[in-house]
Amino acid sequence: MTDLKEGVCLSAFWYSHEQCCWTSNETTFADRDKCPQWQKWAELMTGHTESAGAYVLNYFLYVLWALFFSFLAVSLVRVFAPYACGSGIPEIKTILSGFIIRGYLGKWTLLIKTVTLVLAVSSGLSLGKEGPLVHVACCCGNLFCSLFSKYSKNEGKRREVLSAAAAAGVSVAFGAPIGGVLFSLEEVSYYFPLKTLWRSFFAALVAAFTLRSINPFGNNRLVLFYVEYHTPWYMAELVPFILLGVFGGLWGTLFIRGNIAWCRRRKTTQLGKYPVLEVIVVTGITAILAFPNPYTRRSTSELISELFNDCGALESSQLCDYINNPNMTRPVDDIPDRPAGPGVYTALWQLALALIFKIVITIFTFGMKIPSGLFIPSMAVGAIAGRIVGIAVEQMAYHHHDWIIFKNWCRPGADCVTPGLYAMVGAAACLGGVTRMTVSLVVIMFELTGGLEYIVPLMAAAVTSKWVADAFGKEGIYEAHIRLNGYPYLDQDEFTHRTLATDVMRPRRSEPPLAVLTQDSTTVEDVETLIKETDYNGFPVVVSRESERLIGFVQRRDLILAIKNARQKQDGVVSNSIVYFTEDAPQQPPSNPQPLKLRRILNLSPFTVTDHTPMETVVDIFRKLGLRQCLVTRSGRLLGIITKKDVLRHMAQMMNQDPESIMFN
């Protein structure tokens, strides 16, 4: 569909440009991109290929197809599944921390996100498919959970499945099974015990095996960016690698600040009311600016693939237009450094324009109401910068091989600098600057490219970009979006203040007492009134209001359903029926209405702490167990309740922020 914007394959319209020319017998090696079966739209409609009119017609149809794809994507999201927009990783992180977003992992979200992701990527917008594929995988995991009562009724087990699903999502997106497991451990999961680790490993393995058997790229590889470099790297090259790390950290900071400012503007102004128009305008601007430049016209994955590639004798790319020495007698795979030809210089300024374009347009694209990942655009920015630096170092080494830094490792006529490696390191640096990943990033990069011996340059760039970006702000893009959207999410920073549970629990002294139910003296009408007048998600159950001795906790949803079912199916249950949470209801006189027994929906082991429990321990419990609320008792008597939102407000207060400034959506 990406290639459909430029032309069509006459032998089979579902073939891409490359697949169309694979099967052609008329294609020559010199013109491998040209084959009679593939025709651009102008050639198909008018018969002309090189005239100004043909260029304008191709330009017009390119923009038109892009607008059509993005309009279709945003319309489907808007009408059928509003949760299918964005990356999905901030929400998955929040869900795995114990918060429930109903419908976020549902059937409709899965179906619409899968379809619209194809459309969004095909439209040529500056977005990737990797983040949304994690969301899609988690939707599949959630769907399978609902088929088995062991998982559907146990929130902890469901979260384990979702952690494994996130690993499988990255495994499929990048063809990087080990990187997927580490991504789930480092970036997505809140709590990751050992058994979840090997289950995630197994899920990622099966996902990668399935992908390999389907062979989507037709090259018997798991990934699109597989490269083979023929020269080692040298110690002196660590300097430009670290500089690329600094660039990655600065770009990450710029992107996060710019994108969050734009998303906040979208939320607080009229702009947010016109999501379809916004997507159409951004797509139009992207397509109009992208078409004239060959590096922005093609899909971002193809661009990265070309930037990573080493220049061999068989490459036809402009980036490989070096001036050859006719006296060269060397094996094909060891081509020495050569002076750059006019094609390389043309490519350099086109890449410089592409870099500026990608930096600016990605800020406005991420977060729109269509599925949009961040991995591929970030890698593209880094790969462009890296390739430019790589070519500069290569030419410097060729023209000044007698300089002291090049003398030890770069003899004339030797192949000593690989520009593609710089692109790879730059891609890792920019991705690290935006997401703040380190270990999983390096593993994903070497699995993605097959460049196992280049782990040290990748590590140097990833660590440098994280340090530089952290100097300007600790939050990665996903944490920033969690805060912007107001999700109750506890980050993994240490809580060092010496406060106690009694300082945080509610109700406070000035507030009305806690809304509770009694075990055997509340009527159905009392319960319905309490539900109507409050919006709490659950209620503690006590022996009596005098003793306040805690028995258990009952969820609001369960109460509503139980009363509704009892009124419909049980004879004699009326408004003044007594609700019992005890084992056996006492014998009632015949004149009394039928009692309602709700022992089965009562949680008899709610999580409790005493009023003198240090908040450091409470925060740790909330993090590790993914709790939503915790009851505070003293000698078995109920004193109050602490919710996750109370913990977040207290943490803000301890950092001298206004606790009321934290908005929860």
Side-chain angles (χ1 to χ4, degrees):
M1 281 170 71
T2 303
D3 286 349
L4 204 57
K5 300 201 298 291
E6 293 188 54
V8 67
C9 186
L10 299 179
S11 55
F13 70 89
W14 58 87
Y15 275 178
S16 69
H17 186 171
E18 192 180 356
Q19 287 170 318
C20 193
C21 293
W22 273 346
T23 52
S24 172
N25 296 326
E26 294 91 343
T27 313
T28 61
F29 180 74
D31 291 330
R32 73 197 76 174
D33 290 340
K34 298 184 175 70
C35 57
Q37 285 93 335
W38 178 267
Q39 288 198 348
K40 291 193 173 178
W41 291 112
E43 188 183 352
L44 192 66
M45 292 174 178
T46 63
H48 299 295
T49 53
E50 302 302 325
S51 65
Y55 182 83
V56 170
L57 184 59
N58 281 330
Y59 200 151
F60 175 72
L61 284 164
Y62 179 90
V63 175
L64 205 63
W65 274 109
L67 290 172
F68 171 68
F69 288 150
S70 63
F71 174 70
L72 204 54
V74 71
S75 304
L76 286 169
V77 168
R78 181 118 197 245
V79 175
F80 294 106
Y83 280 150
C85 66
S87 158
I89 291 179
E91 287 78 8
I92 299 293
K93 285 182 74 142
T94 309
I95 289 168
L96 285 172
S97 77
F99 186 63
I100 288 179
I101 307 175
R102 299 208 182 279
Y104 197 80
L105 300 174
K107 303 187 282 290
W108 273 107
T109 308
L110 169 64
L111 181 66
I112 297 300
K113 189 140 194 170
T114 309
V115 173
T116 52
L117 183 55
V118 175
L119 291 165
V121 173
S122 306
S123 69
L125 283 163
S126 183
L127 47 83
K129 61 184 186 304
E130 282 66 23
L133 276 175
V134 173
H135 184 185
V136 165
C138 287
C139 288
C140 294
N142 189 54
L143 213 60
F144 284 121
C145 282
S146 62
L147 302 177
F148 305 98
S149 59
K150 177 183 175 183
Y151 295 100
S152 60
K153 291 186 176 153
N154 187 328
E155 202 60 46
K157 291 222 171 285
R158 186 197 291 265
R159 277 180 228 152
E160 285 181 25
V161 172
L162 293 181
S163 288
V170 174
S171 173
V172 169
F174 285 118
I178 300 171
V181 176
L182 291 172
F183 176 80
S184 182
L185 167 65
E186 183 181 359
E187 192 61 29
V188 182
S189 299
Y190 218 55
Y191 177 55
F192 205 81
L194 198 59
K195 62 178 180 178
T196 310
L197 179 73
W198 83 257
R199 285 170 181 175
S200 302
F201 182 74
F202 182 72
L205 166 73
V206 173
F209 177 76
T210 311
L211 186 72
R212 175 66 181 77
S213 56
I214 295 168
N215 192 16
F217 306 115
N219 58 1
N220 291 329
R221 304 258 185 227
L222 278 177
V223 290
L224 193 56
F225 310 131
Y226 190 83
V227 289
E228 284 178 3
Y229 301 133
H230 302 291
T231 50
W233 60 278
Y234 299 90
M235 282 302 286
E237 288 183 285
L238 275 177
V239 176
F241 292 153
I242 287 169
L243 287 175
L244 283 170
V246 173
F247 171 78
L250 293 173
W251 140 250
T253 306
L254 168 75
F255 174 78
I256 291 169
R257 290 197 177 168
N259 182 251
I260 292 298
W262 179 249
C263 289
R264 187 169 283 118
R265 188 179 176 80
R266 186 188 288 128
K267 279 176 101 74
T268 53
T269 61
Q270 293 290 319
L271 181 69
K273 293 181 181 171
Y274 307 105
V276 178
L277 185 65
E278 185 192 3
V279 170
I280 292 293
V281 168
V282 172
T283 309
I285 292 168
T286 305
I288 288 165
L289 294 176
F291 187 83
N293 188 335
Y295 292 106
T296 49
R297 187 188 313 171
R298 69 186 66 181
S299 78
T300 318
S301 300
E302 284 175 21
L303 169 64
I304 295 171
S305 190
E306 183 171 330
L307 292 168
F308 281 5
N309 260 342
D310 196 11
C311 282
L314 306 179
E315 289 298 327
S316 63
S317 163
Q318 247 192 327
L319 285 167
C320 296
D321 180 26
Y322 289 93
I323 297 166
N324 284 319
N325 179 358
N327 303 326
M328 186 180 78
T329 53
R330 277 178 174 275
V332 165
D333 65 347
D334 187 24
I335 294 175
D337 288 347
R338 297 155 293 165
V344 175
Y345 289 112
T346 308
L348 278 177
W349 70 258
Q350 286 175 341
L351 281 175
L353 290 174
L355 179 66
I356 296 163
F357 169 71
K358 285 278 182 197
I359 284 174
V360 175
I361 207 74
T362 309
I363 289 172
F364 296 100
T365 307
F366 186 69
M368 290 196 305
K369 294 294 175 203
I370 48 171
S372 52
L374 196 59
F375 283 71
I376 291 289
S378 303
M379 283 171 69
V381 167
I384 294 170
R387 188 77 188 209
I388 292 170
V389 170
I391 292 172
V393 172
E394 180 191 48
Q395 292 306 303
M396 209 189 299
Y398 177 79
H399 291 293
H400 304 284
H401 52 77
D402 51 346
W403 283 10
I404 193 158
I405 52 167
F406 298 123
K407 223 170 198 172
N408 299 334
W409 55 280
C410 212
R411 298 180 312 282
D415 176 23
C416 51
V417 178
T418 311
L421 172 60
Y422 286 75
M424 192 164 107
V425 171
C430 281
L431 190 49
V434 171
T435 60
R436 309 296 159 86
M437 299 190 310
T438 48
V439 183
S440 53
L441 171 67
V442 172
V443 175
I444 285 173
M445 286 305 294
F446 83 68
E447 282 191 278
L448 192 62
T449 54
L452 195 60
E453 62 184 289
Y454 302 107
I455 286 183
V456 174
L458 290 170
M459 286 171 78
V463 169
T464 308
S465 74
K466 182 173 169 59
W467 281 340
V468 171
D470 280 351
F472 293 98
K474 292 281 181 198
E475 286 183 325
I477 186 69
Y478 301 131
E479 288 78 17
H481 271 271
I482 284 171
R483 199 156 56 86
L484 177 73
N485 292 326
Y487 300 135
Y489 178 82
L490 284 167
D491 55 29
Q492 303 287 7
D493 290 346
E494 214 173 329
F495 184 85
T496 52
H497 305 284
R498 297 183 174 278
T499 48
L500 301 175
T502 188
D503 303 327
V504 182
M505 73 176 193
R506 300 175 73 177
R508 308 239 159 74
R509 284 205 177 91
S510 57
E511 293 177 348
L514 204 60
V516 296
L517 298 170
T518 55
Q519 67 173 2
D520 55 8
S521 60
T522 314
T523 63
V524 170
E525 189 177 16
D526 294 339
V527 176
E528 287 176 329
T529 307
L530 188 63
I531 288 169
K532 204 174 285 177
E533 288 176 355
T534 63
D535 56 358
Y536 305 132
N537 281 331
F539 304 96
V541 178
V542 293
V543 173
S544 66
R545 291 187 191 278
E546 293 75 42
S547 75
E548 290 280 334
R549 200 173 256 330
L550 180 69
I551 291 176
F553 191 82
V554 64
Q555 294 284 350
R556 177 195 188 89
R557 246 174 99 240
D558 296 341
L559 264 181
I560 293 168
L561 278 172
I563 292 173
K564 186 180 168 190
N565 288 341
R567 280 191 180 277
Q568 284 173 357
K569 294 173 186 168
Q570 260 179 276
D571 290 337
V573 173
V574 289
S575 292
N576 58 345
S577 296
I578 304 263
V579 176
Y580 284 99
F581 290 100
T582 52
E583 285 278 354
D584 301 305
Q587 284 294 320
Q588 299 284 337
S591 57
N592 283 18
Q594 178 91 14
L596 176 58
K597 298 174 191 169
L598 294 181
R599 175 82 170 185
R600 69 184 188 284
I601 65 167
L602 182 66
N603 176 8
L604 290 164
S605 56
F607 213 93
T608 58
V609 294
T610 68
D611 53 339
H612 285 287
T613 308
M615 269 314 287
E616 191 177 355
T617 308
V618 175
V619 170
D620 219 28
I621 290 167
F622 268 91
R623 275 201 196 115
K624 295 265 168 60
L625 299 180
L627 295 183
R628 275 174 235 122
Q629 73 276 320
C630 171
L631 300 171
V632 183
T633 59
R634 183 194 292 160
S635 311
R637 281 187 66 238
L638 178 68
L639 294 182
I641 189 167
I642 299 175
T643 65
K644 194 175 225 176
K645 294 178 181 181
D646 295 330
V647 174
L648 283 161
R649 287 197 186 96
H650 179 67
M651 288 169 87
Q653 204 173 349
M654 292 291 105
M655 290 176 201
N656 298 323
Q657 295 170 2
D658 175 17
E660 298 311 313
S661 69
I662 298 187
M663 302 298 291
F664 295 112
N665 297 343

